[in-house]
Amino acid sequence: MEMTDQLMRNRAKAIRLIGIANELLAMARELEIGQPLISESAGALSAGSHAAVPREAARQDHPIWVELARQAYDDRRRRTKIFGIEALFGEPAWDILLDLFIAAKERRRVSVTSACIGSAVPSTTALRWITILEKHGLLVREADPGDARRVYVKLSARGYAAMLEYFASSSRSVVLLDDPGHSSAAAR
């Protein structure tokens, strides 16, 4: 019993530390791209959506969101594997956004080639979707200064803010272990 309590306390501490680390990463990303994650254009994005999330909620970051993104991405791959029909569940734009969000949270770069592979569609289709996402201001391309043949893609500030807003609104029903209200309610 005591061991279980200690494990729960350690897990809650770990989740809080991950949250702090993600907040630091988000601040570093803000500094790196030279603009806040939530710009006026992203604010307009939430104002136009049906289930708008307050800008404050989207501005905050939580470690569960990258886990939800990973789970969503893995679930999409699992569907294809189980049903055995690749073309049945195609949504390459979402796959690209999920992949780039996870990469941003992990602080790793994604080449255009890797983004195409991650979208699970033919390269020509993936490239078309990358161009569409870029035109909508959700991602940006960056040349590799060390290799002129390589181009990287990453979420733009607007794209990152939209992903934060998406996961903030979709995770509203997730009960967090480090929520003091949840802990006291469970103890009753």
Side-chain angles (χ1 to χ4, degrees), residues 38-88:
I38 302 295
S39 63
E40 291 308 312
S41 63
L45 179 71
S46 21
S49 65
H50 294 292
V53 173
R55 290 178 67 190
E56 277 304 308
R59 184 173 293 152
Q60 297 173 3
D61 205 344
H62 198 282
I64 196 90
W65 297 344
V66 72
E67 294 307 320
L68 289 173
R70 277 191 192 98
Q71 183 178 352
Y73 190 84
D74 291 344
D75 287 347
R76 295 176 63 68
R77 302 287 80 77
R78 188 171 33 262
R79 286 187 315 195
T80 300
K81 192 177 197 179
I82 290 170
F83 288 93
I85 306 168
E86 282 190 36
L88 195 59

Side-chain angles (χ1 to χ4, degrees), residues 1-9:
M1 184 71 144
E2 187 176 317
M3 181 97 149
T4 305
D5 290 341
Q6 184 62 40
L7 285 173
M8 292 301 286
R9 282 193 298 275

Side-chain angles (χ1 to χ4, degrees), residues 22-39:
N22 279 339
E23 287 180 40
L24 290 171
L25 286 173
M27 286 188 275
R29 181 158 174 82
E30 244 180 67
L31 291 171
E32 178 183 40
I33 60 178
Q35 56 186 337
L37 293 176
I38 302 295
S39 63

